[in-house]
Amino acid sequence: MAWPQAKPSPQNGREVPLSGTWTFMKDPKNQAMLPNLDAGWQPVTVPHTWNAVDAFDDVPGYYRGAGWYKIVMKTQAAWKGKVLYLQFDGANQETEVFVNGKKAGAHIGGYSRFIVPVTDLMRNEASALQTIAVKVNNRFNKDIAPLSGDFTFFGGLYRKVSLLVLNPVHFNDPDHGSSGLYISTPEVSAAKAALKVSGQLINKSAATKTLVLRNLVKDPQGQVVYSDDFSLGQISAGKRVAFTHQLPTLSNPVLWSPEQPALYTVISSIVDAQTGAVLDKLEHRTGMRWFRFDVNEGFFLNGKPYKLMGASRHQDYKGLGNAVPAALQVEDLRKIKAMGANFLRVAHYPQDQAVLDACDELGLLASLETPLVSEITESKAFTNNALRMQMEMIKQHYNHPSIIMWTYMNEILLKMQFKDAESRKKIYVENVRRLALALEKMTRRADPYRYTMIPNHHSIKTYKEAGLTDIPMVVGWNVYHGWYGGDLANFPEALDKLHAEVPGKPFMITEYGADADPRIHAYKPERFDKSVEYATRFHQTYLKAILSKPFVAGAQVWNFADFASEDREETMPHINNKGIMTIDRQAKNTYFLYCAFLSKTPYLKIGAAAQDRRSGSAMQGQDVVTQPVEVFGNVGDAELFLDGKSMGKKNFKDHIAVWNVPFQHGKNALKVVASGAARLEDQASINFNLIPADLSSKKLPFKALAISLGDPRYFEDETGNKIWLPDQAYRKGSWGYIGGVPYKKETGHQPFGSDKNIVGTALDPVFQTQRLGLEGYKLDVPNGKYEVTMYFAELMGAEMTTVLPYNLLPSYKKSAKEDRVFSVYLHGHLIANRLDLPKQFGLALAVQKKAKVIIKDNKGIYLQFKAIEGRPVLNALEVKRLAF
């Protein structure tokens, strides 16, 4: 076959981009060398992941194995006499690189840059074809972190690939994938700032060179404020040399801060002292700032107190997996900054350099961590890999002024090993502690100017007894009080306990959140209902408490956006819905809440729950449906208007004001106007589908109705352009169930329904609830022709494929299987005979049964459920009126 050929062009004088069209094939056999077969290869665009689709489908698991990438490029005349390296910004997670059929190098770890020397493997002749093949493997490997975690381990060449074309004398750090040049600001004040440049270079030429390090410093306005030449002396051929150079103190520096992210530029060049030729040049930015943590008063930047408020962020995106263009990643940070945040927790692994560049530019302080998540392996190889990942992270991101902390070991005791063997468990915990000590020692030695942190799950006693709260400079706590455990109302007391239990140690809340499926709304929200409304209440409680307590240095919501987590099932399978934005970056009400809490400028926004579409069933004698509308703001009060009519003024309580709005059928225009000098306003148009109390209403003829049984929530079906209404008992003239009880899984924490992935549908919430022991369903529709669709799924005995550790509460029980066989009649006519859902279809599988009927004599629609064995069930019901 014709292999794709790269058409390289230099970038920044030393980097040639190789991203673009490659060919790819999976290799389940994990072959040691490149397959020679032409068949099986397909063109792909690098950056690329092979899990962008299968990590989200209904089939459990996703491909974790080997894959090959291949590209062909021509030698350029300008490369003659140069030193060549292949640079990979991210490949998950075991990578081997081959050039012209020979192995050039390898790398372990999926989230850091690595560089492979290839000069000696390239063909020398002009315009020679060079074949580059890369084998990547994202299999489970007990010696490589992460071993497990609540996120998807996408495989592939998912960040950019480049060819470095360098002079024989160049900056160099081949062990850690960095540029080889490190800039620090060991002393900073408002009056002066010290700059230090260190690093290493190599002379790969055949002769001794007399070299000079030339440094040029530009202020944030681009004016040169310092330049000098520092003699490096004579460097022998083949020798690598480390250097450190203290630059003169800068007076009255422009300080870097979230409000003014002023960046200085440091241009460092290696100059041949004899010829004056510039042999290599690197340009880095830095910021002048100083900071400290205080155990009682929180965090201080440049001598001023700051509450470090922001978000954690995963890197994947809808439809792309983790192969996300830099522009989209930067846009994430713009959205985080726009909500008034000043901090980003880059979790749970180092991310694209573009992310940290954007933090520098936007004024977002940051912590960065390695992917040691939930557990470790007690092996020398695991320890060595963990230490190397930590050092790679530090070296590659050292020059970013936004970074104030290096982090490691997120919730490392969550998946506690050897639970049933106490003595062996103690050995395991001690080995975790020893690894933490080694990581801490290495990190402080590599960078004495920044803080260290370990984020722990909310089990204070466990981490204190393990000694893990003593090791880092700052402790992070991942707290889900009011979600996985504890009472939401008691969260303020939980903060006080964290402060008291670990005295003398500054801490941050590094995670907190509640699932919010953007399609689900509940006007009486309750824990675990996955509604946007419960999540809003949850975050409102947390923000109020966190901001009120000075000893809490900061907090990062989990998560900025929904993200892939293949083991999760729930209402939106394979996605963790705790984001304040969706996986395709549409804002939820929770994002608007953060804007209202954190923005320093006036803010006013009608909640997303009021946007576009709503539906509801009217009460008897009414031709409107009253539902709450939430408005978010940081102004004193505001007035809401419906179709130009005032709904009255409301004061904002903890940045939320709620109006009960009487919606009419059809278009409803909402406008909210802030009082006072700001005169802000926001508008929304809601298309309301009103279901009259009397289904035979002449004023509003019946067209369609979708009902989710055993469910008190509203579900927005975007694909079907409809709202599924909560269930209700039958009322004469209206509609509803007769008999039965809502299905409730015996988990002790879920109020109704199942959390199991329902196969064969994207409408999981519709199938995850049901009514058990149903006797009948009645709808008093007018005479006419109708299509009746019944939705079934067997929920009892259907367990989650993987039970996530933090879902295991003490009261967790598996639901017992129940034999059930039943038939369904429509006005006495059999329309579903002897349904045995598990036997005929299997567990947790979406099943639909349709029937058409002509209603005469005003008898409405009456479904009867006849039990043959066990209890009949119905998960959802849809009725449409058809034209005669």
Side-chain angles (χ1 to χ4, degrees), residues 132-416:
I132 298 170
V134 184
K135 179 185 175 183
V136 187
N137 199 324
N138 69 331
R139 65 180 178 172
F140 172 82
N141 185 325
K142 65 181 179 61
D143 291 325
I144 304 174
L147 301 174
S148 59
D150 185 14
F151 57 102
T152 298
F153 307 143
F154 295 95
L157 280 179
Y158 71 95
R159 292 184 190 152
K160 68 183 178 72
V161 182
S162 307
L163 178 72
L164 299 182
V165 181
L166 307 179
N167 286 315
V169 177
H170 55 270
F171 293 106
N172 181 254
D173 187 354
D175 297 329
H176 305 112
S178 76
S179 68
L181 189 72
Y182 309 102
I183 301 165
S184 58
T185 54
E187 294 181 25
V188 180
S189 69
K192 60 183 180 179
L195 267 176
K196 184 170 71 174
V197 177
S198 60
Q200 59 183 9
L201 58 85
I202 189 167
N203 177 11
K204 283 198 170 186
S205 73
T208 297
K209 297 286 184 179
T210 303
L211 302 175
V212 169
L213 177 67
R214 178 171 295 162
N215 292 298
L216 185 76
V217 181
K218 294 182 180 180
D219 67 15
Q221 287 72 45
Q223 300 299 312
V224 176
V225 293
Y226 171 78
S227 64
D228 82 339
D229 286 355
F230 172 66
S231 176
L232 296 168
Q234 291 188 329
I235 311 298
S236 303
K239 188 176 182 182
R240 181 179 288 113
V241 174
F243 59 85
T244 297
H245 180 46
Q246 183 75 50
L247 277 63
T249 299
L250 296 175
S251 299
N252 303 313
V254 183
L255 299 180
W256 186 97
S257 70
E259 296 79 17
Q260 186 182 15
L263 294 171
Y264 284 76
T265 303
V266 179
I267 303 171
S268 297
S269 304
I270 303 172
V271 179
D272 187 317
Q274 294 178 324
T275 67
V278 175
L279 304 179
D280 198 10
K281 181 171 71 172
L282 288 172
E283 184 173 311
H284 290 290
R285 295 177 305 180
T286 190
M288 309 302 169
R289 78 285 183 271
W290 78 95
F291 51 88
R292 67 180 177 88
F293 284 88
D294 183 90
V295 69
N296 294 314
E297 298 180 1
F299 177 78
F300 291 79
L301 176 70
N302 301 333
K304 299 178 182 178
Y306 279 77
K307 185 79 77 170
L308 296 174
M309 300 299 295
S312 298
R313 176 189 178 271
H314 272 293
Q315 64 187 2
D316 54 292
Y317 201 99
K318 185 177 182 179
L320 299 172
N322 62 346
V324 182
L328 284 180
Q329 303 202 52
V330 172
E331 187 60 28
D332 279 0
L333 273 68
R334 294 188 186 280
K335 289 182 169 70
I336 292 171
K337 181 71 175 181
M339 75 184 193
N342 60 18
F343 192 87
L344 176 70
R345 178 188 175 209
V346 184
H348 288 305
Y349 40 78
Q351 296 178 16
D352 197 295
Q353 283 283 355
V355 171
L356 276 301
D357 286 341
C359 286
D360 296 341
E361 295 165 3
L362 295 171
L364 286 169
L365 294 151
S367 66
L368 197 60
E369 65 193 58
T370 48
L372 273 72
V373 182
S374 302
E375 57 184 323
I376 72 163
T377 298
E378 299 165 285
S379 70
K380 184 176 181 180
F382 185 91
T383 296
N384 290 340
N385 286 331
L387 289 166
R388 183 180 45 75
M389 287 179 187
Q390 186 81 1
M391 185 61 80
E392 285 178 342
M393 176 182 72
I394 295 168
K395 293 283 190 178
Q396 291 175 28
H397 299 280
Y398 188 92
N399 295 329
H400 293 288
S402 54
I403 297 176
I404 60 172
M405 278 190 291
W406 304 115
T407 308
Y408 54 90
M409 284 191 168
N410 178 73
E411 298 183 344
I412 203 65
L413 299 180
L414 181 66
K415 292 188 71 173
M416 182 70 78

Side-chain angles (χ1 to χ4, degrees), residues 598-676:
L598 303 180
S599 294
K600 292 181 172 60
T601 56
Y603 182 81
L604 188 67
K605 184 69 178 177
I606 298 174
Q611 303 299 306
D612 299 327
R613 287 182 301 221
R614 285 197 183 201
S615 185
S617 183
M619 299 298 292
Q620 194 68 40
Q622 296 184 6
D623 56 4
V624 297
V625 174
T626 300
Q627 291 180 354
V629 170
E630 292 183 327
V631 176
F632 303 91
N634 57 10
V635 293
D637 60 15
E639 186 173 9
L640 185 73
F641 296 86
L642 173 64
D643 296 325
K645 181 181 178 181
S646 176
M647 296 287 102
K649 287 187 176 183
K650 295 276 187 178
N651 292 318
F652 285 90
K653 183 178 180 182
D654 299 326
H655 300 284
I656 300 179
V658 182
W659 283 263
N660 290 316
V661 176
F663 288 103
Q664 297 180 342
H665 185 75
K667 294 290 185 182
N668 293 255
L670 288 178
K671 182 172 77 170
V672 66
V673 179
S675 302

Side-chain angles (χ1 to χ4, degrees), residues 735-779:
W735 55 275
Y737 60 80
I738 299 171
V741 295
Y743 169 79
K744 182 183 185 299
K745 186 177 179 182
E746 297 179 8
T747 61
H749 66 250
Q750 191 161 323
F752 46 79
S754 170
D755 49 10
K756 174 67 177 161
N757 176 21
I758 309 299
V759 176
T761 183
L763 307 179
D764 291 80
V766 171
F767 289 92
Q768 287 173 333
T769 61
Q770 65 182 196
R771 201 156 189 86
L772 287 164
L774 187 67
E775 298 171 22
Y777 218 95
K778 197 168 184 182
L779 303 95

Side-chain angles (χ1 to χ4, degrees), residues 683-704:
Q683 300 184 33
S685 178
I686 298 91
N687 187 9
F688 199 95
N689 179 34
L690 188 145
I691 308 299
D694 180 0
L695 295 184
S696 297
S697 169
K698 298 288 194 299
K699 183 177 179 181
L700 189 59
F702 180 87
K703 292 183 179 179

Side-chain angles (χ1 to χ4, degrees), residues 413-581:
L413 299 180
L414 181 66
K415 292 188 71 173
M416 182 70 78
Q417 297 183 17
F418 311 106
K419 288 182 179 179
D420 300 324
E422 190 62 31
S423 60
R424 183 64 182 87
K425 186 180 82 170
K426 288 182 179 179
I427 295 172
Y428 173 77
V429 172
E430 175 60 19
N431 285 330
V432 172
R433 190 185 73 85
R434 287 177 179 172
L435 178 55
L437 284 169
L439 287 164
E440 182 74 14
K441 181 179 179 181
M442 184 191 73
T443 301
R444 294 216 203 172
R445 185 174 63 247
D447 185 357
Y449 307 117
R450 291 180 171 101
Y451 282 74
T452 58
M453 180 171 70
I454 297 178
N456 308 314
H457 74 279
H458 194 197
S459 180
I460 305 171
K461 181 180 178 183
T462 301
Y463 287 94
K464 283 183 66 177
E465 290 180 349
L468 292 178
T469 57
D470 298 328
I471 295 171
M473 302 166 77
V474 178
V475 176
W477 293 108
N478 300 345
V479 182
Y480 292 89
H481 223 72
W483 189 247
Y484 292 125
D487 186 350
L488 181 60
N490 294 333
F491 173 67
E493 289 76 10
L495 291 178
D496 293 335
K497 184 177 180 181
L498 288 171
H499 186 45
E501 288 283 339
V502 189
K505 187 74 67 168
F507 79 89
M508 298 204 297
I509 304 301
T510 37
E511 289 183 25
Y512 62 97
D515 289 359
D517 187 323
R519 305 168 299 174
I520 293 175
H521 300 287
Y523 302 133
K524 292 183 179 179
E526 53 186 320
R527 181 180 172 206
F528 278 105
D529 66 6
K530 311 298 177 72
S531 71
V532 172
E533 286 71 23
Y534 182 82
T536 301
R537 175 184 162 202
F538 177 98
H539 287 280
Q540 183 186 37
T541 301
Y542 270 63
L543 283 166
K544 181 181 178 182
I546 289 165
L547 292 171
S548 70
K549 298 192 181 282
F551 57 78
V552 181
Q556 296 84 58
V557 58
W558 188 262
N559 197 279
F560 165 65
D562 295 347
F563 59 91
S565 179
E566 206 280 340
D567 285 341
R568 281 186 176 266
E569 300 192 3
E570 306 169 308
T571 63
M572 195 176 286
H574 316 306
I575 292 177
N576 187 317
N577 278 130
K578 290 186 181 64
I580 57 176
M581 285 198 165

